[in-house]
Amino acid sequence: MFILSSRARGLKPSPTLAINAKAKSMQAQGIKVVSFGAGEPDFDTPENIKRAAIKAIQEGFTKYTAVGGIDELKDAIIQKFKRDSDLTYKRSEVLVSCGGKHSFYNLAQALFDQGDEVIIPAPYWVSYPPMVLLAGAAPVIIGTREEDNFKITPEGLKRAITPKTKALVLNSPSNPTGSAYTKKDLERIAEIAISSNFFVISDEIYEKIVYDGFEFRSIASLGEEIRKRTIIVHGVAKTYAMTGWRIGYTAGSEEIISAMNNIQSQSTSNPTSISQKASVEALIGSQDEVKKMVSAFAQRRNYIVDRLNEIEGVSCYKPIGAFYVFPNFSHYYERTYQGKKINNSTDLADFFLDVARVAVVPGVEFGADPFERLSYATSMEDIREGIDRIEDALKKLS
Ligand code: PLP
């Protein structure tokens, strides 16, 4: 008899959190590590949001709330969807959870069964396949190409569809590539989802972090038929530098939201009362700080992409959104350092950490081994220093 369940035995810990832990432990030993590992803004949570939380504490808003979130926050979410995507939802179609990850987890538990297939385009956010597996369903990974800006094509999508297809996971802008789907791209995907009758899980957590005037569109806003089949997963973590506050939310049909609410009621209960009050301010208060953060990210993106593309043999797609770059380093595979061969993205990430003292996340964790993920949610000085170190380290490979 095994002590652990097969579910637990089959599960790997989140690789991004593991890399950050290793980098932090090196730093604790006094080693200066430049970390491109973190999936979180380096900015502080804006003052107006903190003040809303302090006020909530002072007013004693520190008890259990309704499982799926307070009405005030649900109304702020409803207002946000109306304002940004012209989407109309009722309170019964919105659920607040403990982070976007928790929103997706609850959704997977509510929607998927043994035998269901869930199409996940690669490169994908690391947590999608494990959460689909934990729900008993099968992730069906479809590759995308650097030349297609890491976007799925209608043909690629159609090839993956079977009678068991229950849903497609769409993440635009994407973690890890920063690629994003245009209205036209989304129209084609919507047509296929409607004709083949599957759900679209639209993870829009990086909606507000877009560059060069890119116009974000939610696939749910393209018509009633696709809206009925779409469940939007969202959260305040990335837009408002609120990763530690743990507030995510979902919008979709009443039937699905109500099932997710039941699951949440038997697991975590409500998300933190104080964070909920802060999130109301985040969503409908001043958005000025967001603009400042996005403009800082844009500057860093331009710099890091140019620097990476200047390195011999490296190609780096210029992201449209989020705060990651996903350069192709496969030119350096098969090379060696002190007799040790670099076979893949994991070996190269280890080499960067050990030799350059730079933390990156191996592309294989996102389903794309030729690449490494670098988060540029860090200072310009660190970016400059980190890329200098990577460049120098690569010269040591023979
Ligand atoms: N979705 C994507 C694509 C992400 O990158 C993340 C965080 O890294 C999340 C969802 C979840 O964010 P959180 O649980 O912090 O709200």
Side-chain angles (χ1 to χ4, degrees), residues 22-337:
K22 188 169 171 191
K24 276 191 182 139
S25 104
M26 285 170 76
Q27 267 157 344
Q29 293 163 41
I31 302 166
K32 161 99 173 86
V33 176
V34 176
S35 182
F36 292 123
E40 63 181 349
D42 53 322
F43 302 108
D44 198 4
T45 305
E47 275 306 314
N48 59 322
I49 299 174
K50 286 184 181 176
R51 276 199 302 274
I54 292 165
K55 183 161 176 274
I57 294 172
Q58 284 168 340
E59 289 176 355
F61 195 73
T62 53
K63 303 285 166 64
Y64 291 135
T65 72
V67 167
I70 53 176
D71 283 346
E72 195 187 349
L73 179 52
K74 286 193 174 184
D75 289 347
I77 292 166
I78 289 166
Q79 206 177 314
K80 177 249 163 305
F81 279 123
K82 188 71 197 163
R83 176 189 71 203
D84 298 341
S85 297
D86 198 23
L87 282 165
T88 307
Y89 288 106
K90 300 191 289 246
R91 283 182 188 163
S92 56
E93 294 171 318
V94 170
L95 183 83
V96 185
S97 301
C98 313
K101 191 181 269 186
H102 189 220
S103 298
F104 190 100
Y105 184 86
N106 285 337
L107 176 58
Q109 292 293 322
L111 204 56
F112 304 143
D113 256 326
Q114 198 89 32
D116 289 339
E117 292 179 356
V118 181
I119 300 175
I120 303 176
Y124 45 74
W125 177 43
V126 290
S127 292
Y128 296 140
M131 290 196 278
V132 166
L133 285 167
L134 281 170
V140 174
I141 310 296
I142 55 172
T144 61
R145 301 185 319 161
E146 211 175 348
E147 306 87 279
D148 296 330
N149 297 341
F150 298 107
K151 291 192 278 195
I152 48 170
T153 60
E155 300 70 39
L157 176 58
K158 281 183 192 156
R159 271 198 302 275
I161 297 168
T162 76
K164 293 177 179 172
T165 303
K166 184 79 183 265
L168 162 72
V169 178
L170 208 61
N171 175 212
S172 172
S174 148
N175 174 5
T177 65
S179 178
Y181 289 85
T182 62
K183 180 171 179 237
K184 207 165 180 177
D185 297 328
L186 294 171
E187 278 168 350
R188 291 204 215 122
I189 295 169
E191 242 171 63
I192 299 169
I194 294 164
S195 66
S196 300
N197 196 21
F198 56 75
F199 290 100
V200 177
I201 300 177
S202 181
D203 182 341
E204 304 181 357
I205 202 155
Y206 295 101
E207 167 185 1
K208 293 289 167 200
I209 306 172
V210 288
Y211 311 113
D212 301 337
F214 178 79
E215 266 189 55
F216 169 85
R217 282 298 294 252
S218 171
I219 192 166
S221 70
L222 298 179
E224 195 41 36
E225 275 306 301
I226 188 64
R227 181 194 127 95
K228 279 196 296 201
R229 286 176 174 76
T230 303
I231 309 101
I232 299 177
V233 171
H234 217 309
V236 296
K238 316 288 179 175
T239 312
Y240 304 101
M242 290 177 73
T243 44
W245 299 70
R246 310 310 303 135
I247 296 289
Y249 52 91
T250 319
S253 79
E254 199 168 314
E255 187 180 1
I256 296 171
I257 293 294
S258 156
M260 290 172 65
N261 190 81
N262 285 346
I263 290 163
Q264 188 159 302
S265 78
Q266 299 292 10
S267 49
T268 59
S269 297
N270 63 276
T272 310
S273 58
I274 302 150
S275 297
Q276 289 191 59
K277 284 282 190 182
S279 299
V280 171
E281 175 62 24
L283 290 172
I284 59 175
S286 165
Q287 304 293 302
D288 291 352
E289 290 302 311
V290 179
K291 286 198 199 97
K292 284 189 212 156
M293 292 190 265
V294 173
S295 101
F297 285 143
Q299 255 188 323
R300 299 166 184 186
R301 172 199 69 148
N302 294 343
Y303 177 77
I304 199 168
V305 170
D306 286 349
R307 283 291 310 274
L308 285 162
N309 277 314
E310 281 163 16
I311 300 175
E312 197 205 324
V314 174
S315 65
C316 183
Y317 162 76
K318 189 166 192 178
I320 289 172
F323 38 70
Y324 311 101
V325 277
F326 204 55
N328 187 328
F329 280 103
S330 58
H331 176 78
Y332 291 92
Y333 297 176
E334 306 295 315
R335 298 199 182 186
T336 55
Y337 175 69

Side-chain angles (χ1 to χ4, degrees), residues 338-355:
Q338 294 185 342
K340 213 171 147 205
K341 193 153 142 207
I342 308 285
N343 291 304
N344 50 40
S345 58
T346 309
D347 290 349
L348 190 66
D350 283 342
F351 167 76
F352 284 152
L353 192 53
D354 295 338
V355 176

